[in-house]
Each structure stands twice: as structure tokens, then as C-alpha cells.
């Protein structure tokens, strides 16, 4: 167990930076963010008591979404801001101090390094990983606002096909809360495009309690947004990732146009 780390000492020179940026803000209205794209672990935390097999599972990251996000950023000619570290280190879609942001158990797997974590250790992870990521998103959105650039925030996620012994029927889902407009427009376009089952606030409901990135950045600024969930078996390989990037690159602009026309 790691204890007593101060915030400056969690990441060292041989650890990757917590934020990875692809592309750049340009004429596109879309800013892409990917809270669970990576599964890096600070060297100081070792394997966190999690087996190699469990590091391959959905509990460590959003399988497929690094590939989808990067391909989509390229097709839309826009920026993608990715979190590099695993959500088993700290979940960047949870508010600081959230009871599940440093999970002790995830889908049946005990994360030893997170059991009864000291407050200072939790704070070190927030300072080194969560806050720089959210700050990078804030900088991007503020820069765009300063130049009058319209922005829609697209939060990319994927979900496991089986959870707690239950098969999930959705191929994708759109999550929304205070402003459902862009999510519902995208859902209609996804269904019309032949995606058979598209959840509406399924498999998760977007809320202030269960989410952080969208409420923090989009809802407080009144930006159009969607938190998109794609089932992981559909984006598990290059072909699936390219297929979804192509689809979203076609449908997101159409959905945003419908949103503004409504
Ligand atoms: Zn996710």
C-alpha cells in the first residue's frame, strides 16, 4: 500500500503526462473529450493489486474509445482531449472526493491499492491526474468562448456488453440531463442510420452525482453536449472503431444542425 505521497510526488519523470491532446481547435464546433481513454498507472502505484487479466477488462478503461476518439477528431478536423490514466487510479468523470472516484471494488474486482485510501493519497491523485485534465478542457472552452467560437462538447465513453450477469441490449446510448436536445437529435440520427438499439439515458442516466465532465463544463456554460456510450464489442478492433468514427463524423454535424433549428 502506498501512503503519505504528497501531490508533487505522485507522478515522476518516467510517468506519462495525464492529458493527451490530438488535433487542434479550428472551425469545427465540436470539442471531443475522453475521460476513460487510457489505462496508465503511476509507477509509484505498481499494479495496484490488480491482475494482468483484470487490467484488460472494462474496469480499467473505456475499451475502444482511444481509437474511436482519435479517428473521429481526424474526420471532424477538431480537438480531442484524452485522459491518459486508468479510472482505477482515479475516475475523471467523478467529482473530487466522490465515493466511487477511487473504487475499492469494480465489477467484482478488488483494487487493493484503493482500499481505505488515505485522504492525502486521494488528493495526490486528484491533483496529479484529475485536475490537470479538467483544467485542460476548461482552457480550451474558455479560449473558444473568448473568440466567440460556438462549441458543442462531446464526451466519449464505452460500456461493457455484460454487467453483473446481465446482457445489455443497447448498441449505443445517449446520456443527457438539463439539455437533452443534442443527445436526442443524435439518437434519432443513429436509429435512422441503422443502429438497432440506442439507449436514451441508458445504460446510464447522466446526473450531477454520477458524472462530472459534462455537468462541470457543458451544463454550467449552457453548451450543447452529448455524453455518448458505445458498446465495447462494437469498437473492439480497428474496423469497428473506424466504422463508428465514420458514422459519428456524419451524424454529429447533422444532429447539431437539428439542435440549432429546434
Ligand atoms: Zn467512460
Amino acid at each position: 500500500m502506498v501512503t503519505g505521497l504528497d501531490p508533487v510526488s505522485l507522478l515522476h519523470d518516467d510517468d506519462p503526462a495525464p492529458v493527451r491532446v490530438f488535433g487542434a481547435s479550428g472551425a469545427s464546433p465540436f470539442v471531443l473529450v475522453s475521460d476513460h481513454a487510457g489505462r496508465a498507472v503511476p509507477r509509484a502505484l505498481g499494479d495496484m493489486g490488480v491482475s494482468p487479466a483484470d487490467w484488460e477488462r472494462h474496469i480499467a478503461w473505456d475499451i475502444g474509445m482511444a481509437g474511436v476518439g482519435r479517428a473521429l477528431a481526424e474526420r471532424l478536423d477538431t480537438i480531442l482531449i484524452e485522459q491518459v490514466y486508468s479510472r482505477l487510479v482515479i475516475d475523471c468523470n467523478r467529482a473530487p472526493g466522490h465515493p466511487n472516484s477511487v473504487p475499492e471494488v469494480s465489477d467484482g474486482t478488488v483494487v487493493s491499492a484503493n482500499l481505505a485510501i488515505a485522504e492525502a493519497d486521494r488528493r495526490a491523485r486528484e491533483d496529479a491526474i484529475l485536475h490537470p485534465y479538467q483544467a485542460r478542457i476548461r482552457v480550451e472552452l474558455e479560449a473558444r468562448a473568448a473568440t466567440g467560437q460556438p462549441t458543442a462538447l462531446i464526451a466519449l465513453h464505452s460500456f461493457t456488453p455484460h454487467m453483473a450477469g446481465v446482457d445489455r441490449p443497447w448498441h449505443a446510448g445517449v446520456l443527457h440531463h438539463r439539455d437533452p436536445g443534442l443527445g436526442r437529435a443524435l439518437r434519432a440520427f443513429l436509429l435512422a442510420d441503422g443502429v438497432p438499439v440506442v439507449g436514451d439515458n441508458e445504460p446510464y442516466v447522466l446526473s450531477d452525482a454520477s458524472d462530472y465532465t459534462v455537468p462541470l463544463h457543458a451544463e454550467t456554460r449552457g453548451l450543447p453536449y452529448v455524453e455518448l456510450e458505445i458498446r465495447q464489442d462494437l469498437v473492439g478492433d480497428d474496423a469497428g472503431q473506424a466504422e463508428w468514427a465514420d458514422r459519428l463524423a456524419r451524424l454529429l454535424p447533422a444532429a447539431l444542425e437539428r439542435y440549432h433549428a429546434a
Side-chain angles (χ1 to χ4, degrees):
M1 169 158 277
V2 180
T3 55
L5 289 172
D6 65 53
V8 285
S9 71
L10 179 58
L11 298 184
H12 297 280
D13 289 347
D14 50 355
D15 286 312
V19 188
R20 196 171 287 152
V21 176
F22 289 84
S25 263
S28 168
F30 297 107
V31 169
L32 312 178
V33 296
S34 204
D35 299 339
H36 303 137
R39 56 174 169 173
V41 180
R43 268 172 56 100
L45 298 183
D47 66 4
M48 299 183 69
V50 172
S51 73
D54 280 324
W55 278 111
E56 297 298 320
R57 297 179 58 216
H58 73 96
I59 60 172
W61 61 336
D62 278 359
I63 291 168
M65 292 320 282
V68 172
R70 294 169 194 182
L72 182 59
E74 207 172 281
R75 284 159 175 73
L76 291 172
D77 190 19
T78 194
I79 188 168
L80 164 68
I81 301 171
E82 278 186 356
Q83 174 53 250
V84 170
Y85 285 90
S86 171
R87 66 171 164 213
L88 294 182
V89 179
I90 187 149
D91 188 330
C92 286
N93 194 28
R94 299 284 183 274
H98 188 286
N100 295 334
S101 70
V102 178
E104 294 192 334
V105 181
S106 184
D107 193 18
T109 294
V110 174
V111 186
S112 311
N114 294 350
L115 296 176
I117 189 172
E119 189 51 35
D121 292 339
R122 166 198 285 278
R123 189 91 39 85
R125 296 187 197 183
E126 291 173 354
D127 288 345
I129 296 168
L130 172 68
H131 294 317
Y133 171 68
Q134 298 297 353
R136 183 65 185 82
I137 297 171
R138 182 177 305 113
V139 162
E140 196 63 34
L141 297 180
E142 285 177 355
R144 293 172 65 94
T147 60
Q149 168 82 326
T151 297
L153 187 72
I154 310 301
L156 301 169
H157 293 268
S158 67
F159 64 96
T160 180
H162 317 284
M163 189 69 165
V166 176
D167 285 347
R168 290 161 143 185
W170 312 279
H171 296 77
V174 296
L175 316 188
H176 50 77
H177 182 202
R178 292 177 179 85
D179 182 359
L182 182 58
R184 292 210 169 124
L186 179 62
R187 178 171 183 269
F189 279 105
L190 287 167
L191 289 167
D193 200 55
V195 180
V197 187
V198 183
D200 186 346
N201 268 334
E202 304 264 26
Y204 304 106
V205 177
L206 201 161
S207 73
D208 293 341
S210 58
D211 297 84
Y212 186 50
T213 301
V214 161
L216 176 67
H217 296 296
E219 295 197 313
T220 55
R221 290 181 175 81
L223 300 177
Y225 67 84
V226 59
E227 188 166 323
L228 178 68
E229 293 272 0
I230 304 174
R231 207 175 68 198
Q232 288 168 357
D233 57 308
L234 303 177
V235 290
D237 59 17
D238 291 349
Q241 292 164 18
E243 180 189 329
W244 273 88
D246 286 342
R247 176 176 289 127
L248 292 170
R250 279 187 288 110
L251 302 186
L252 278 169
L256 187 61
E257 197 173 313
R258 180 173 292 181
Y259 171 88
H260 285 306

